[in-house]
Amino acid sequence: MLQVTSNIACAHFGSTNLNVRNVEDGNKSQYADRTNCGRLRSRSLYSFEEIKHSTGETDKNRSHIRPRSRSFYVCDTDDVGTGHFSRCNSMRPRARSLHNEDGKKNTAGTSITAKPPIKRPKGNSSKRASKELTGNKGSLKGVPMMTISELDKWEISSSSRMKYGQYVDWEKIDPEAAIRYRKILSSDHYELKAMGRTGFWSMPHTLRAKAYQHIIQSIESTSTTADVDIYHGLAGKLFGEFQISTHPFPNFMEDGEIPRYCLNKTGLNSVKKILICINHHFPDVSYCPILSALVSLLLHFSEDEAQCFHSICSLVSYTDPKKRYIDQTFLTSRSSCMTFGDLANKYCRGIRKLIASSHQNLFEFYSDWIMWIFADLPFTYAIRVLDVYLMEGYKVLYRVALALLSLYKVSVSSRVAHVDDFRHDMKNFVQNVGRHTTIDALLQRAFSIQLPTRKELTYLFNANKDALIHKDIHNKSSYQAMDFRAFSSSVVTETEMRVVWAWIPERFALFSPVQLFSTNVDGRSLSSFYSKVEGHDPTVLLLKTADEEICGAFLSSDWAQKNCDEKGFKFFGTGECFVFTLRPGMERYQRTVLQISGMSGKCDSSHQKESLSIDSLISTDMDRTTGGSPLCTVSTFKFMAGDDETLFIGGDGGHALHLQADLTAGCSERCDTFESPTLCRGCFKIQSLEVWGIQHSLSVPPLLSQ
């Protein structure tokens, strides 16, 4: 349960009569908080006339004694004389300035008020107090006094809630920031994008706050300035005035944890209030683990809670078809996680093999990917990521997470034998990423990754979402990790199959493998091979040689598309095809391109045309703007081909695998299609060969409109 207070601490001080008792009595004032209240103004508790009346001494032989400045760190003395620290003094209280002559504390009262008459305790001050107040040598030193009479009053508005620095014209103090802000206002989207990547508005704090508000206002969304009034209405209804209320965690929060990011108690309380209001304002948002982190970060740069609420509303209700900001359900969040897993398979080769071979859960490891950024990264790193995230959307998160994963791979490779929990180890690595790289170097690494375009990523995201829907996975409890304990094969072990399944695209890895063909069962002929595997895509080919070498291939397309004409073999397939070795060493070979194959249970003559070729579209922003190398097309690469007499996997510069019609022998060559070396010794004898399919009947996701 979340426990929140309805207002910012110290917004209300009770009576307008200036009375220090209200601050000192921690049991009666819930708004006195060292982290939120300002220090009480220093003042003398004894006027010259009071001193003269009490002791008969004049200023000739006595100084205007001013006790140590009283703050709200006070010590209330209970009946037995033990110092009791109220809730407002989280730090050690200052020592009392006045003592009786015999060294005992003045127990005339436990609180001091500003109302006269106030009698001075009898007797002289202790030697220690005299030394502190009158100087090291005990000389008389005049101390300026400010006397507050009984008629003096403060009018304190409990609703003003002005933030620090709002009374200051910061542009005059820091002209450079004013110049930068004017440049921000006059820049277009691409210029702002470059500014965000280089930290143009990172300092000072007020410049970043203004930049954020300018950027958020430009986000296409259904959110309006009416969000401010909506927030005040919700807050008044849910929290009331000056009271503590208890609320359950918002539906979209998994465990109720909120990244602090240096926020004090008041800030944390405000984050809870905003999250609860978002939960009521957006009831359809059922799963969004990063919302609490975004609220915590944006609150740093918001004028008040209402403005932070409006900023979050803009991100939740975005309408820009070219960008994506926040996943709002488990289905979309998991689809993004699977998309990241596919990208990690391409750009961070090896990490999946480490995790899968240790029998740890890949789903749990990748499920934290977005929390690496908006929970585990230190504040100074997370805020720089937020700079570019507000400008560029979700794609930036893929980049940064891939950069973190590539750094982690380097770190963990030398100590993998000592890692019992990769998920926890990755969390610790990100929390201490400052030991490995700076934020500038991390962002430079992130933006050097040549990701597919947003259109292609959206297509992959939709394909993964369709697979989850087909698998009927709509929440975390409905997901079940793949169980390989019942797996049986004459070619590979359970552990080796786990590694292969970790290599294949995420949407296919959701489903269990099913054996389609085995030379031990179905005989040794290509005709039998084709009769068993046609109509299935994708498939995994596993091959063991007479020398106990094991290699294979993931083939994304249906073998029913094989064809041969007078010009020779017709190659087909997509960029998701890859080849691999399992013995003597485990390695996967695949070009770093992303072409998504369709998931069709039946052969379709238009299948190849309907499959969105990301190979033909992929390029970086630099390629588009500077006229880089020519783009790849699907016809550039030769992935798979065959007829009744022979079978080819790879055809550029050589064949990764070439099998004969009787499936008794074959050969392997260096192949440019997959950038692979020979998978096993040149020509080899086949001991056993198997083909595994995937139990699914998914249709090709609809193509995005151009």
Side-chain angles (χ1 to χ4, degrees):
M1 302 291 283
L2 293 177
Q3 193 174 59
V4 302
T5 58
S6 59
N7 67 308
I8 297 179
C10 297
H12 177 66
F13 287 86
S15 172
T16 55
N17 291 329
L18 184 64
N19 190 336
V20 186
R21 185 182 303 272
N22 291 339
V23 178
E24 291 191 31
D25 188 358
N27 296 326
K28 296 182 180 179
S29 177
Q30 65 177 340
Y31 306 106
D33 189 317
R34 190 260 176 197
T35 58
N36 308 307
C37 296
R39 176 174 172 169
L40 295 180
R41 189 169 183 177
S42 302
R43 56 190 174 278
S44 172
L45 299 179
Y46 311 112
S47 68
F48 171 73
E49 291 297 325
E50 291 165 355
I51 297 172
K52 181 177 180 182
H53 174 75
S54 175
T55 64
E57 300 179 20
T58 65
D59 60 350
K60 292 181 180 180
N61 54 10
R62 192 157 188 88
S63 65
H64 300 165
I65 297 177
R66 177 187 180 191
R68 240 182 224 196
S69 301
R70 296 298 302 273
S71 73
F72 53 85
Y73 306 117
V74 292
C75 178
D76 295 334
T77 308
D78 56 22
D79 294 338
V80 295
T82 304
H84 170 69
F85 301 106
S86 65
R87 63 182 290 182
C88 63
N89 60 335
S90 56
M91 298 177 65
R92 181 177 62 85
R94 293 179 181 268
R96 298 268 184 181
S97 296
L98 302 180
H99 299 273
N100 292 332
E101 187 176 19
D102 58 0
K104 295 181 178 180
K105 294 181 180 179
N106 179 9
T107 59
T110 60
S111 61
I112 301 174
T113 68
K115 296 181 180 180
I118 299 175
K119 293 184 179 180
R120 179 180 176 275
K122 294 181 181 181
N124 296 326
S125 302
S126 65
K127 292 181 180 181
R128 182 176 178 181
S130 176
K131 183 176 181 179
E132 289 177 353
L133 297 175
T134 61
N136 294 333
K137 296 183 180 181
S139 60
L140 300 179
K141 296 171 65 179
V143 181
M145 293 187 301
M146 181 181 70
T147 303
I148 302 179
S149 69
E150 196 171 18
L151 299 177
D152 290 329
K153 294 182 179 180
W154 291 93
E155 287 189 2
I156 301 174
S157 171
S158 62
S159 61
S160 61
R161 300 183 180 181
M162 294 294 287
K163 305 300 179 184
Y164 91 96
Q166 289 191 356
Y167 304 101
V168 180
D169 190 345
W170 291 100
E171 283 73 12
K172 292 182 179 179
I173 294 178
D174 189 356
E176 177 63 25
I179 296 172
R180 289 189 170 220
Y181 181 58
R182 287 195 294 270
K183 186 173 181 180
I184 291 172
L185 294 179
S186 61
S187 299
D188 62 21
H189 173 78
Y190 295 100
E191 291 171 335
L192 288 174
K193 186 176 174 181
M195 291 178 184
R197 293 186 178 188
T198 57
F200 181 80
W201 53 68
S202 59
M203 289 296 289
H205 180 95
T206 52
L207 177 61
R208 180 177 257 138
K210 289 182 177 182
Y212 278 6
Q213 295 311 312
H214 174 68
I215 294 169
I216 290 172
Q217 287 175 5
S218 66
I219 294 176
E220 296 180 22
S221 71
T222 58
S223 179
T224 66
T225 54
D227 292 335
V228 174
D229 295 329
I230 291 173
Y231 178 77
H232 289 312
L234 285 172
K237 178 182 177 181
L238 294 170
F239 313 118
E241 291 291 334
F242 312 119
Q243 58 181 324
I244 296 178
S245 56
T246 302
H247 303 267
F249 298 141
N251 296 331
F252 51 77
M253 293 185 69
E254 191 173 12
D255 50 17
E257 292 186 3
I258 300 175
R260 290 295 294 263
Y261 290 131
C262 310
L263 293 175
N264 55 27
K265 282 188 176 181
T266 300
L268 184 61
N269 183 75
S270 295
V271 171
K272 294 175 181 177
K273 290 173 63 179
I274 295 169
L275 289 171
I276 292 171
C277 288
I278 290 172
N279 188 45
H280 283 76
H281 189 52
F282 295 102
D284 293 335
V285 179
S286 59
Y287 187 86
C288 186
I290 68 170
L291 259 185
S292 58
L294 290 176
V295 172
S296 297
L297 289 172
L298 288 173
L299 191 61
H300 281 263
F301 306 96
S302 301
E303 292 182 359
D304 52 24
E305 296 170 0
Q307 187 183 71
C308 183
F309 176 82
H310 169 64
S311 299
I312 294 297
C313 288
S314 299
L315 296 177
V316 173
S317 60
Y318 72 94
T319 58
D320 189 347
K322 298 179 181 179
K323 291 182 185 177
R324 193 161 58 90
Y325 283 100
I326 292 179
D327 290 321
Q328 303 178 21
T329 65
F330 178 83
L331 179 63
T332 57
S333 180
R334 181 57 192 160
S335 300
S336 297
C337 180
M338 292 170 63
T339 303
F340 172 75
D342 288 325
L343 296 174
N345 221 353
K346 300 280 185 179
Y347 301 101
C348 299
R349 299 178 182 179
I351 189 67
R352 295 171 69 96
K353 180 180 68 177
L354 292 177
I355 298 172
S357 59
S358 66
H359 289 224
Q360 295 188 33
N361 196 324
L362 266 173
F363 170 82
E364 292 183 354
F365 180 80
Y366 282 133
S367 64
D368 291 338
W369 78 276
I370 202 167
M371 305 307 292
W372 300 340
I373 302 170
F374 286 135
D376 299 333
L377 268 183
F379 174 76
T380 53
Y381 285 63
I383 206 66
R384 284 291 303 278
V385 176
L386 185 63
D387 289 345
V388 289
Y389 167 73
L390 292 177
M391 280 300 307
E392 304 183 39
Y394 215 87
K395 187 176 179 180
V396 167
L397 304 185
Y398 289 139
R399 290 185 180 277
V400 176
L402 288 172
L404 289 170
L405 190 61
S406 64
L407 288 171
Y408 175 69
K409 178 188 171 185
V410 175
S411 170
V412 76
S413 58
S414 60
R415 52 186 178 85
V416 63
H418 305 288
V419 178
D420 297 325
D421 186 343
F422 281 99
R423 185 181 185 186
H424 186 261
D425 191 61
M426 179 67 182
K427 182 181 180 71
N428 288 337
F429 174 83
V430 176
Q431 289 175 341
N432 298 281
V433 70
R435 301 175 182 176
H436 305 274
T437 186
T438 64
I439 180 57
D440 290 317
L442 178 65
L443 290 178
Q444 184 178 6
R445 176 184 287 260
F447 289 111
S448 67
I449 300 173
Q450 299 182 0
L451 284 186
T453 64
R454 285 186 175 87
K455 180 186 292 185
E456 294 129 24
L457 289 175
T458 301
Y459 184 87
L460 179 57
F461 170 85
N462 289 334
N464 287 327
K465 185 168 69 172
D466 287 347
L468 288 169
I469 294 173
H470 180 81
K471 190 69 174 176
D472 199 25
I473 298 176
H474 296 279
N475 51 58
K476 195 169 185 177
S477 61
S478 62
Y479 176 84
Q480 294 181 350
M482 192 64 61
D483 187 0
F484 286 93
R485 288 176 296 182
F487 175 80
S488 177
S489 169
S490 62
V491 178
V492 296
T493 65
E494 172 196 339
T495 299
E496 290 168 336
M497 196 60 173
R498 284 180 182 272
V499 172
V500 173
W501 229 243
W503 281 334
I504 71 176
E506 290 278 347
R507 66 187 184 278
F508 299 128
L510 290 173
F511 301 91
S512 301
V514 56
Q515 190 178 88
L516 302 177
F517 174 83
S518 172
T519 53
N520 294 342
V521 177
D522 302 299
R524 293 176 177 266
S525 71
L526 273 179
S527 58
S528 177
F529 173 94
Y530 290 133
S531 67
K532 295 292 184 179
V533 303
E534 286 182 358
H536 297 272
D537 66 320
T539 54
V540 176
L541 185 148
L542 301 173
L543 184 152
K544 180 190 288 187
T545 70
D547 296 322
E548 297 295 324
E549 296 174 304
I550 296 179
C551 60
F554 173 78
L555 306 168
S556 62
S557 299
D558 190 344
W559 277 106
Q561 297 180 53
K562 72 181 189 305
N563 194 4
C564 184
D565 53 27
E566 64 279 0
K567 295 182 180 180
F569 289 100
K570 176 185 176 183
F571 280 87
F572 57 100
T574 72
E576 286 189 307
C577 296
F578 62 85
V579 295
F580 55 85
T581 61
L582 294 176
R583 297 182 206 167
M586 292 184 179
E587 191 60 60
R588 184 187 63 144
Y589 302 97
Q590 182 182 27
R591 278 187 174 271
T592 310
V593 294
L594 186 62
Q595 181 194 355
I596 306 168
S597 58
M599 296 182 292
S600 176
K602 298 180 179 180
C603 177
D604 184 354
S605 60
S606 62
H607 174 82
Q608 188 69 20
K609 296 180 180 179
E610 289 183 355
S611 181
L612 178 63
S613 171
I614 291 186
D615 280 330
S616 64
L617 297 173
I618 185 170
S619 66
T620 63
D621 293 337
M622 183 177 295
D623 291 333
R624 295 184 185 276
T625 57
T626 62
S629 59
L631 305 184
C632 303
T633 62
V634 70
S635 60
T636 303
F637 301 114
K638 300 176 180 179
F639 296 105
M640 49 195 292
D643 60 13
D644 293 337
E645 300 298 326
T646 189
L647 181 149
F648 296 111
I649 297 176
D652 298 290
H655 304 297
L657 282 174
H658 175 201
L659 305 182
Q660 297 176 0
D662 57 5
L663 296 182
T664 58
C667 64
S668 176
E669 302 171 311
R670 179 179 180 83
C671 181
D672 294 337
T673 304
F674 307 104
E675 298 179 343
S676 60
T678 56
L679 302 180
C680 47
R681 299 178 186 176
C683 295
F684 53 83
K685 296 290 185 180
I686 298 176
Q687 181 183 145
S688 180
L689 184 147
E690 294 176 348
V691 178
W692 291 80
I694 295 171
Q695 292 179 330
H696 72 86
S697 57
L698 302 177
S699 59
V700 179
L703 294 179
L704 299 175
S705 58
Q706 294 298 322

